[in-house]
Amino acid sequence: MGEGVSGLTVVNGLGRYPRTRPRRLRGAEWSRKLVAETHLSTSDLVWPVFILDGEGQREQVASMPGVERLSIDLLVEAVGEAAALGIRSVALFPKTDPSLKTSDGREATNPDNLMCRATRALKAAHPEVGLFCDVALDPYNCDGHDGIVKDGRILNDETVAVLLKQSLVQAAAGADVIAPSDMMDGRIGSIRDALDGAGFEHVQIMSYAAKYASAFYGPFRDAVGSGGALKGDKKTYQMDPANTDESLREVAMDLDEGADMVMVKPGMPYLDIVRRVKETFAVPTLVYQVSGEYAMMKAAADNGWLDNDAAVLESLLAFKRAGACGIFTYAAVEAARLMRGC
Ligand code: PBG
């Protein structure tokens, strides 16, 4: 033990100033990169995209600068460009024509719905790109809820029965990952059994296991056109932002029921949950940088209050540092360009 160095500082691997100067390692780029503990790569990114009916159609999402809804033909092109930049997976979200929305959300189980047509087209054009298909009723339900609503209540088991059928049409269309974002109880086990029974045992399930009832989903609801329709809130099925132990119970249940990967959502305000889930279960843990987080960054950057490029990359690196293996982000394509320097 050197002079002036206490037992505690030796245990912590720290010496004492002026012999030890943490700034020494930060002095040059090569050195900072050499000792970096976390790395971000384009393989970590999952790009969520919004699909529109028709051909040659593109629409800006007003509350998400730089994000567009695309018709299938344009989406196929855009995903090809993203793949060329190193993005390996995409998550699909449809904007359903209001005339197809019903109180039972039956369009969700139509094998020719927008989601299934997009899945088939993308799999045909870009078979190497992983496709995450969202399972929930909100894009198809005239109440804007993720489940079936009766007398103001969101029915659990009746909803799960529909989600099974939705999962099966998506798997048949070519989904690589079924991604239930609905937060009904027991849906992972039921979906796993249904997939296995239909010969889709190779299809993965990524459960939105710790999904919070968050104010940060607002712009997404504009993007899929469910926001105006939403009656009330989602607090009877999505988690209370006050809770963390509960997220561990949710994740434990979903893993027990057969989830291959779990998701924590939203992202930036919930990094403590990402860390706790990862440390407790040591399973692939993804995180969603949701629409409101994206909108906040863009609004600040557009006002000149934040350096957009630096803020985007720092926010994504922080998810990796917290323990996430994958990040859903609307900034995936711009981040890939930044990482590649193009
Ligand atoms: C609903 C769903 C939501 C998001 C993904 N799937 C919104 C909600 O729960 O109301 C939000 C994603 C985002 O805000 O970017 N099934």
Side-chain angles (χ1 to χ4, degrees), residues 48 50 64 93 134-139 144-146 179-183 208 211-221 224 226 230 234 237-238 265-266 288-294 328 330:
F50 298 113
M64 300 175 72
F93 295 98
D134 195 75
V135 168
L137 298 186
D138 53 320
H145 275 290
D146 293 23
S181 69
D182 56 286
M183 289 296 281
Y208 286 78
K211 177 169 176 181
Y212 286 83
S214 173
F216 291 97
Y217 304 150
F220 173 95
R221 294 176 188 167
V224 298
S226 69
L230 182 62
K234 300 192 177 184
Y237 47 106
Q238 298 180 346
K265 179 181 177 192
Y288 203 137
Q289 182 173 55
V290 300
S291 56
E293 298 174 57
Y294 175 87
F328 279 46
Y330 301 100

Side-chain angles (χ1 to χ4, degrees), residues 46 66 102 104 109 149 162 191 198 216 231 233 251 276 298 330:
V46 180
T102 55
D104 60 3
T109 64
V149 188
V162 182
I191 291 173
F216 291 97
K231 299 192 181 89
D233 57 46
V251 169
R276 229 181 144 201
K298 291 296 162 191
Y330 301 100

Side-chain angles (χ1 to χ4, degrees), residues 64-192:
M64 300 175 72
V67 173
E68 294 175 316
R69 306 178 191 95
L70 297 175
S71 56
I72 293 174
D73 53 332
L74 298 184
L75 180 65
V76 166
E77 277 175 33
V79 168
E81 287 161 20
L85 288 166
I87 292 175
R88 296 172 185 276
S89 13
V90 171
L92 306 179
F93 295 98
K95 182 178 185 224
T96 307
D97 191 290
S99 68
L100 296 171
K101 295 190 182 189
T102 55
S103 57
D104 60 3
R106 76 180 77 104
E107 178 65 4
T109 64
N110 172 3
D112 278 320
N113 67 19
L114 189 54
M115 184 79 153
C116 293
R117 281 183 278 127
T119 302
R120 283 194 290 271
L122 286 169
K123 263 295 136 196
H126 309 296
E128 75 291 355
V129 173
L131 295 185
F132 287 70
C133 287
D134 195 75
V135 168
L137 298 186
D138 53 320
Y140 314 95
N141 174 330
C142 47
D143 302 290
H145 275 290
D146 293 23
I148 296 170
V149 188
K150 193 162 177 221
D151 302 329
R153 298 176 68 131
I154 318 303
L155 304 180
N156 193 88
D157 300 4
E158 293 79 351
T159 298
V160 172
V162 182
L163 300 178
L164 301 184
K165 294 188 194 150
Q166 183 180 19
S167 304
L168 288 174
V169 296
Q170 292 177 353
D176 295 295
V177 187
I178 297 297
S181 69
D182 56 286
M183 289 296 281
M184 296 300 118
D185 295 331
R187 86 278 204 220
I188 299 300
S190 301
I191 291 173
R192 186 70 271 165

